[in-house]
Amino acid sequence: MNLEKIVAISGKQGLFKICSRGAGNLIVESIADGKRFPTFAHDKISSLEEICIYTTGEDRPLKDVFVSIHEKLGDDIGFDPKKATPLELREKFLQILPDYDEDAVYPSDMKKVFQWYTLLNSNGVLDYSSDDKKEEDNEEKPAEEKPVEKKPAAKKTTAVKKPAVKETANTKAAGAAKRTKASSKV
C-alpha cells in the first residue's frame, strides 16, 4: 500500500491524490468526486505516508493502522464515524490499536482516521494484497548469509597541482620583477 501521493489539505474536506506538479503548485484530484484543482505553497499539505499515530511505545504509521482496521473490522467498519460519540470512537480505536496514547490521540483524530479509511477503501485506493504478498515472500525466503568479500584497498595517489596559466618567458620575467619590487619595499 503506497500512500505517498494521497494527501490531506488543511481547511479542505476529504483526501486528494497528487496528479502533477507545476512551478510552485501541485495539481490534486479529490478522491471523493474526482474534481481537480491547484494547491499552492501557502496550503498546508500532509502526505498520508508521513502521518503516524502516537502509541505508548513506538509511533505507528497510518498505513499500519489501516491494515489493522482491515484485519479487525473488515472493509465495512460498521458505524458512521461522523455520528459516533467519543466513547464509541475510543472503544473502536482500542480494538484496532490497543496501545494508542490516550492523552495524545483525540476523538477528532480517531474520527478522521475512520473517515479516511472508509473513503480510501470505498474508492479502491487501499490495496492489501501487495503488502500480504511482500510479507509472504519475506517469510518464504529466509535471509541467506553471503560471505563478505573484501576489496583490495585503493592506492592513494597525490596529485600535483599544475598552474592554471602556462608560464612563458615573459610571465616568468614579470613575476620575478614583482618579487624584487616587493622585497625592496621592506
Side-chain angles (χ1 to χ4, degrees):
M1 173 183 341
N2 187 0
L3 298 176
E4 285 180 7
K5 294 197 178 230
I6 308 298
V7 296
I9 302 172
S10 182
K12 302 210 183 282
Q13 286 285 18
L15 294 173
F16 307 90
K17 182 178 179 181
I18 297 175
C19 296
S20 64
R21 297 177 189 264
N25 67 3
L26 293 173
I27 305 298
V28 295
E29 178 181 321
S30 172
I31 291 179
D33 59 12
K35 291 182 181 177
R36 290 185 178 194
F37 61 92
T39 60
F40 300 96
H42 66 275
D43 292 321
K44 185 177 178 189
I45 299 173
S46 302
S47 171
L48 295 192
E49 188 75 26
E50 298 170 357
I51 296 176
C52 291
I53 302 296
Y54 294 117
T55 63
T56 54
E58 196 170 312
D59 296 346
R60 299 267 308 267
L62 189 60
K63 65 180 175 181
D64 291 350
V65 175
F66 286 160
V67 169
S68 181
I69 293 173
H70 181 71
E71 290 172 354
K72 304 271 184 358
L73 302 177
D75 289 335
D76 182 25
I77 59 175
F79 69 100
D80 185 8
K82 292 179 184 177
K83 296 178 181 176
T85 65
L87 184 61
E88 291 172 334
L89 288 170
R90 284 192 176 106
E91 288 174 2
K92 293 290 186 179
F93 216 74
L94 273 172
Q95 287 179 0
I96 60 162
L97 196 63
D99 62 338
Y100 82 93
D101 188 352
E102 294 181 20
D103 295 332
V105 180
Y106 300 107
S108 60
D109 300 327
M110 297 174 202
K111 185 182 294 189
K112 198 178 292 186
V113 168
F114 286 122
Q115 286 175 336
W116 287 351
Y117 173 80
T118 304
L119 177 67
L120 292 172
N121 204 35
S122 65
N123 287 297
V125 177
L126 299 178
D127 181 22
Y128 303 102
S129 62
S130 63
D131 288 340
D132 295 338
K133 193 179 244 185
K134 286 179 188 176
E135 288 176 11
E136 289 174 9
D137 289 344
N138 290 339
E139 290 174 6
E140 290 175 10
K141 298 178 185 177
E144 295 178 16
E145 293 185 28
K146 295 181 180 180
V148 178
E149 294 181 26
K150 290 189 177 182
K151 295 181 180 179
K155 293 182 182 179
K156 292 185 179 180
T157 58
T158 55
V160 178
K161 191 172 181 179
K162 296 181 181 179
V165 178
K166 188 175 181 180
E167 288 190 34
T168 63
N170 292 340
T171 57
K172 286 183 184 178
K178 285 182 184 177
R179 286 191 291 276
T180 56
K181 284 184 184 178
S183 61
S184 64
K185 288 183 180 179
V186 180

